[in-house]
Amino acid sequence: MAADDDIRSVRLVSNDALERGDLNTFLASIDGDYVGTAGNGGHIRTRGELRKLMRNVFSAPTRPYFVRATDSVTLAEGGKRAVELGHWTGYERSSESAPRVIDQGHYTAYWKLAGGRWTIHAELFVTLD
């Protein structure tokens, strides 16, 4: 299914941008009306809030980043929406050592197709110790 492959591809690009600290490439996967719930239960109410949060994350001394691994993608009838289920791992790194796991859990993402492009409309992350 092409939509499944497209969403998985966007996710991989987003993961790579997170690891590199590339805010603009990361935000290219995010819908203008984005909302989210972080693994700690905090709410992100706008794309602008997400931008500010990620700018702070990217400037942290340990340079944390998150890898989201897609387990499944289900396309809505009509092909304009999809849900992605997966698991995520948070890492931090320092210049002296290899990245270490700091958090992990599961996530759900609500994707929208608009103008021929898939973007993430909403996400829910749950941290599982």
Side-chain angles (χ1 to χ4, degrees):
M1 176 182 294
D4 184 311
D5 291 341
D6 289 347
I7 287 169
R8 289 173 187 270
S9 177
V10 172
R11 181 58 81 193
L12 290 175
V13 170
S14 176
N15 280 342
D16 181 62
L18 284 173
E19 186 172 356
R20 291 183 294 106
D22 181 345
L23 184 61
N24 290 329
T25 299
F26 168 72
L27 288 173
S29 66
I30 303 299
D31 186 63
D33 294 328
Y34 176 88
V35 295
T37 301
N40 64 4
H43 297 285
I44 304 160
R45 292 170 183 85
T46 67
R47 188 174 190 266
E49 282 184 15
L50 180 61
R51 174 189 296 276
K52 183 177 178 181
L53 172 70
M54 295 313 297
R55 189 176 291 136
N56 291 338
V57 166
F58 291 158
S59 66
T62 57
R63 289 277 325 263
Y65 64 97
F66 308 90
V67 175
R68 288 79 40 92
T70 305
D71 294 328
S72 67
V73 175
T74 303
L75 193 63
E77 196 167 320
K80 300 276 187 200
R81 293 182 315 275
V83 63
E84 174 193 11
L85 304 175
H87 57 281
W88 63 273
T89 305
Y91 298 92
E92 72 176 6
R93 64 180 146 224
S94 68
S95 57
E96 300 84 40
S97 62
R100 73 177 186 91
V101 174
I102 54 173
D103 278 318
Q104 58 189 352
H106 292 270
Y107 71 90
T108 302
Y110 168 5
W111 290 79
K112 287 176 31 178
L113 180 63
R117 223 181 73 170
W118 285 100
T119 57
I120 302 165
H121 179 67
E123 292 177 298
L124 168 65
F125 292 89
V126 179
T127 301
L128 300 172
D129 298 328

